[in-house]
Amino acid sequence: MPGIFSEEHLDIILQGGMVIFMEIYLYFQGLYSIMILSIALFAFMASGFRIAKAGSRACIIVLGDIGRSPRMQYHALSLAKTGFDVDIVGYGGSTPHSDLIENDKITQHVMSDPMTLPGVFPGLFRYTFKVMYQIAQLFFVIFVKMKWPSHIFVQNPPAIPTLPVAWFASKIYGSKFIVDWHNYGYTIMALTNKPTSPIVRLAKWIERTFGPRADGHFCVTDAMKKDLAQNWGVPKAITLYDRPPEIFKPTPLTEQHELFSRLSKDYPVFASSDSSPQHTVFTERKSSRSITKRGDRPALVVSGTSWTEDEDFSILLNALESYEDAISSGLSLPNLVCAITGKGPMKKYYMDIIAKKNWKHVKICTPWLTAEDYPKLLGSADVGVCLHKSSSGLDLPMKVVDMFGCGLPVCAIHFNCLDELVKHNENGLVFHDKEELAQQLQDLLCDFPEKQKQLETFRDNLKSFQELRWEESWNNTVRKTLYI
């Protein structure tokens, strides 16, 4: 049986201690009227505490662009379907999925971007200021704007300041504190700072101190589950694999034609050379009004990226250069359109490199797609490419999950636990460097579109993956633990 000062009772001790201290202080100050009012206030808080313990209101803290946090959007939608009222807290920038926007049980609390200080201030001071600003934002939303949450879900990373703020809020409200471990935040910080730097060491300490204090833990791989148990003191984390929702599926031919037609207005690589409104570079409308794929169409390769340091995009550019050279040398390969989706800090750097390329057979475009058009593009593509390399070696790229949901075979760069998702020569291919990727693209697309034997095999093997969707997986894992 847990002791009175155990973690299980810490929230009660904190609240009770605050009440007793305040009432004693007011009594000795002779502020009896305020004392009576505060007792009424604390009684109201106690009723909220009881509601929180058995309630159905969830707070989801993203501390990032809500529209670019699909897994947390899926959590919100699943909780709403279960009957929860959901508050999702984060920043703007991208438009979330329409299902989330239109759901009456989900309220978005979009915070303004943190103030940034001029570069004349030291980096550590600017970072500290940003964190303090974010703490103030979170406190205002959680303790002023929102109603009592029964559950607080936190996306990690980032750990600072979300983990300590969420832990504190859970103790004040009596909420169930749940961490969804996507990765380790300190390993991402170590990409741009020395692993031994004070800021990385502090981040690691905060993550290791407050993360394990949560009441529930979900993670994205079995490898992370094992690491949490062995090295973080979290023995009961539950693996909740990313699974695609129903919107990720092969795109019907008529929808492909409509998508390519719309995209061609902003991105000429999708337009037919004859400029006919009935044709795109991939599809054409016959006189019978039926849509068919063009026999002379290029191959469509799609790669999603956040344009960050953990993705070396030069690997794909070098592989495409080799592909261009292979066609020029006479190999039987189709022309290729490479659509690179996403946005991030290193996009301009790579766009400048792409602009200098003068390829004849390979075309690159970087469309920014709506949440509704992104799965349609994946479901229309021939090959997906993933350059994500986990900073911890323990997470999986969600973009591959989306591609697999659409039945799209993938070439993915190798890292430690990738085989939990990509099975080499079964549902895709794994490469280690630019030479391997270049060869894989050429092997997959040789004599395309007439011959697609290996691609068709991969697509057939992905059908079993497509059977288990997010909602079923969530109900089998998260739902049954909400009140444990």
Side-chain angles (χ1 to χ4, degrees):
M1 184 175 180
I4 188 64
F5 294 105
S6 67
E7 176 75 15
E8 180 179 329
H9 298 136
L10 186 56
D11 48 6
I12 301 175
I13 295 170
L14 279 173
Q15 286 196 340
M18 288 172 60
V19 172
I20 294 170
F21 175 81
M22 180 65 74
E23 297 307 318
I24 291 174
Y25 175 80
L26 294 173
Y27 177 81
F28 283 106
Q29 293 296 316
L31 301 173
Y32 303 121
S33 59
I34 298 178
M35 182 177 172
I36 293 172
L37 289 174
S38 64
I39 290 175
L41 175 62
F42 287 130
F44 173 73
M45 289 180 65
S47 68
F49 181 88
R50 289 193 296 273
I51 292 170
K53 279 299 185 183
S56 56
R57 187 172 199 96
C59 167
I60 297 177
I61 303 176
V62 175
L63 208 69
D65 186 339
I66 295 174
R68 295 175 65 193
S69 305
R71 182 172 166 109
M72 303 315 284
Q73 291 185 67
Y74 301 158
H75 273 301
L77 289 167
S78 296
L79 285 163
K81 287 182 181 178
T82 307
F84 275 70
D85 293 301
V86 181
D87 295 285
I88 184 165
V89 184
Y91 294 111
S94 306
T95 304
H97 197 275
S98 58
D99 287 349
L100 186 137
I101 296 173
E102 297 166 3
N103 195 306
D104 293 336
K105 297 185 75 65
I106 300 175
T107 301
Q108 292 184 66
H109 299 274
V110 180
M111 303 184 297
S112 59
D113 290 338
M115 294 174 59
T116 54
L117 295 177
V120 295
F121 291 96
L124 182 59
F125 180 82
R126 284 185 280 120
Y127 179 73
T128 302
F129 177 84
K130 176 185 176 182
V131 169
M132 297 305 295
Y133 188 89
Q134 290 176 319
I135 290 174
Q137 286 182 304
L138 289 172
F139 267 60
F140 177 72
V141 172
I142 294 172
F143 293 109
V144 177
K145 293 183 68 178
M146 278 176 28
K147 295 181 180 179
W148 302 94
S150 58
H151 298 71
I152 298 177
F153 285 76
V154 174
Q155 170 184 289
N156 186 75
I160 303 174
T162 47
L163 287 182
V165 168
W167 172 81
F168 179 76
S170 72
K171 297 308 174 187
I172 296 300
Y173 281 142
S175 312
K176 184 170 183 177
F177 174 29
I178 300 168
V179 177
D180 192 8
W181 298 85
H182 298 195
N183 200 348
Y184 299 149
Y186 79 91
T187 65
I188 296 176
M189 295 183 72
L191 294 174
T192 53
N193 300 274
K194 293 182 179 179
T196 56
S197 67
I199 189 67
V200 174
R201 292 167 63 186
L202 174 63
K204 185 176 182 179
W205 179 83
I206 290 175
E207 204 163 7
R208 283 183 173 272
T209 299
F210 291 97
R213 293 179 181 272
D215 305 301
H217 302 267
F218 297 97
C219 57
V220 294
T221 63
D222 281 339
M224 181 175 284
K225 175 182 178 178
K226 182 177 179 181
D227 187 73
L228 285 168
Q230 292 180 345
N231 301 315
W232 289 68
V234 180
K236 296 183 179 181
I238 299 173
T239 302
L240 174 63
Y241 283 117
D242 284 318
R243 306 297 298 194
E246 294 293 340
I247 58 172
F248 287 93
K249 58 188 177 182
T251 306
L253 199 51
T254 53
E255 293 184 27
Q256 290 187 33
H257 182 75
E258 188 272 337
L259 174 67
F260 295 144
S261 297
R262 279 192 291 107
L263 290 176
S264 66
K265 297 175 183 177
D266 297 314
Y267 307 100
V269 297
F270 292 99
S272 172
S273 58
D274 60 14
S275 300
S276 169
Q278 302 298 320
H279 300 165
T280 72
V281 73
F282 300 103
T283 58
E284 58 186 352
R285 187 185 298 275
K286 297 290 188 180
S287 56
S288 62
R289 310 297 294 171
S290 63
I291 304 297
T292 61
K293 288 187 176 182
R294 296 178 58 151
D296 61 347
R297 70 184 183 275
L300 177 57
V301 174
V302 175
S303 181
T305 179
S306 53
W307 302 100
T308 52
E309 292 83 358
D310 61 349
E311 294 183 357
D312 183 0
F313 221 77
S314 65
I315 293 175
L316 176 57
L317 295 182
N318 287 320
L320 294 177
E321 182 113 48
S322 298
Y323 189 95
E324 172 79 13
D325 294 341
I327 296 181
S328 299
S329 68
L331 288 185
S332 180
L333 294 168
N335 289 343
L336 188 149
V337 172
C338 182
I340 305 169
T341 66
K343 60 182 180 180
M346 297 189 71
K347 182 174 182 177
K348 185 181 184 304
Y349 170 78
Y350 283 110
M351 288 300 294
D352 290 341
I353 295 175
I354 292 170
K356 296 175 182 177
K357 302 297 182 183
N358 190 28
W359 296 331
K360 295 181 179 179
H361 304 286
V362 175
K363 303 297 181 184
I364 295 177
C365 68
T366 57
W368 177 247
L369 302 167
T370 65
E372 289 72 31
D373 280 347
Y374 176 61
K376 290 183 179 180
L377 182 66
L378 296 186
S380 306
D382 300 300
V383 181
V385 174
C386 177
L387 297 166
H388 172 84
K389 292 187 74 172
S390 171
S391 60
S392 64
L394 299 171
D395 72 311
L396 293 172
M398 193 163 187
K399 64 198 73 173
V400 172
V401 175
D402 296 339
M403 291 175 182
F404 280 0
C406 293
L408 178 62
V410 171
C411 298
I413 195 166
H414 175 268
F415 60 89
N416 284 343
C417 65
L418 182 65
D419 59 354
E420 290 190 39
L421 179 61
V422 182
K423 313 294 184 184
H424 184 65
N425 267 329
E426 182 178 329
N427 57 18
L429 297 172
V430 178
F431 61 90
H432 294 78
D433 50 39
K434 59 186 180 184
E435 289 81 13
E436 270 193 287
L437 175 58
Q439 190 60 54
Q440 288 174 2
L441 289 175
Q442 293 172 41
D443 291 343
L444 289 173
L445 298 175
C446 185
D447 293 322
F448 179 95
E450 290 80 9
K451 295 181 181 179
Q452 301 185 50
K453 183 177 180 180
Q454 192 170 19
L455 288 174
E456 289 172 353
T457 299
F458 292 162
R459 291 190 193 104
D460 288 339
N461 292 339
L462 284 171
K463 289 178 180 177
S464 60
F465 179 90
Q466 294 171 288
E467 291 175 358
L468 179 61
R469 296 290 176 162
W470 168 267
E471 196 64 33
E472 181 182 353
S473 177
W474 190 90
N475 285 330
N476 291 338
T477 51
V478 181
R479 183 172 184 172
K480 61 186 181 182
T481 67
L482 290 175
Y483 293 103
I484 294 179

